[in-house]
Amino acid sequence: MAKVENNLFLLGIRGMIGNQMVYRNCKGKIILSKRPQCTGYQSDAQKKQRLRFKEATIYAKAALTDADTFKAYSEKAQHSEDALTAYNVAVADYLNLPVIKTVHLDEYSGQPGEGIVVSATDDFEVKEVTVKIRQNDYTLVEKGIALADANGLDWKYTTQSANIPLTGSMVTIRVSDRPGNVTVKEMVI
């Protein structure tokens, strides 16, 4: 990528030039790109993605009116190598779902006081991880919130109730982020 620095001709330039190139200025950096091409036809997937992007912009505008949220997104933007703003980070946060990397059931044998460890990530932050345990007949054994580990990746849930028989039981992990995106993973023991 070419970089232009201290060029008086391009200082403050923005918009489309010659119906071919688009110039933008973001955080003092000039970004030059090819003019976007629109065919006029939109597939269902395009319509769905445009609606999701519209929702993301509405979320970002609303989220940035809160001082604490604005500060958090601004800090992430400042530490980015790209020319991002708090608004860009908020939009991306809305568009990207949290990811459940792993669920460790090694310590769980159906007894109270045992641990279930969930490794979850998000492009901004994981807000909450909940664990639900049901028997094979769908009877709820317990449900609760996992606690964040100091490493920033793992969340640990300590079981409260006995689950006998263990075979065929279901563990449901629910991970949510700041905008409210949710990822769910269900496993049979």
Side-chain angles (χ1 to χ4, degrees), residues 9-168:
F9 175 71
L10 296 177
L11 185 67
I13 193 168
R14 66 177 186 197
M16 191 177 314
I17 295 181
N19 207 22
Q20 294 180 2
M21 297 181 295
V22 176
Y23 286 89
R24 292 183 294 135
N25 190 329
C26 190
K27 286 189 175 180
K29 293 182 181 180
I30 297 170
I31 300 169
L32 171 66
S33 62
K34 194 171 104 174
R35 180 180 73 94
Q37 300 291 322
C38 290
T39 62
Y41 169 77
Q42 292 181 20
S43 68
D44 289 341
Q46 285 175 315
K47 290 175 185 176
K48 185 177 176 183
Q49 183 60 24
R50 287 184 180 188
L51 176 61
R52 184 143 167 75
F53 193 81
K54 183 178 181 179
E55 292 169 349
T57 61
I58 292 168
Y59 164 77
K61 289 175 186 175
L64 295 180
T65 61
D66 177 67
D68 292 335
T69 304
F70 178 80
K71 181 180 177 187
Y73 283 139
S74 293
E75 287 174 3
K76 172 92 175 195
Q78 288 173 356
H79 292 75
S80 169
E81 292 181 12
D82 299 321
L84 296 178
T85 64
Y87 176 79
N88 299 137
V89 174
V91 167
D93 191 23
Y94 184 90
L95 293 173
N96 295 305
L97 300 173
V99 176
I100 300 171
K101 297 283 190 181
T102 57
V103 178
H104 299 282
L105 298 169
D106 312 0
E107 298 176 24
Y108 183 58
S109 65
Q111 300 300 318
E114 297 177 333
I116 296 174
V117 179
V118 178
S119 296
T121 60
D122 185 61
D123 63 321
F124 187 72
E125 75 175 330
V126 173
K127 201 71 170 160
E128 184 178 78
V129 175
T130 59
V131 177
K132 182 175 15 175
I133 303 171
R134 292 177 288 158
Q135 290 184 332
N136 58 5
D137 64 356
Y138 293 94
T139 304
L140 181 65
V141 175
E142 63 182 285
K143 179 181 176 181
I145 297 174
L147 301 175
D149 195 352
N151 68 10
L153 176 66
D154 294 335
W155 294 71
K156 185 171 183 178
Y157 177 74
T158 305
T159 58
Q160 308 297 314
S161 304
N163 181 17
I164 309 294
L166 182 63
T167 307

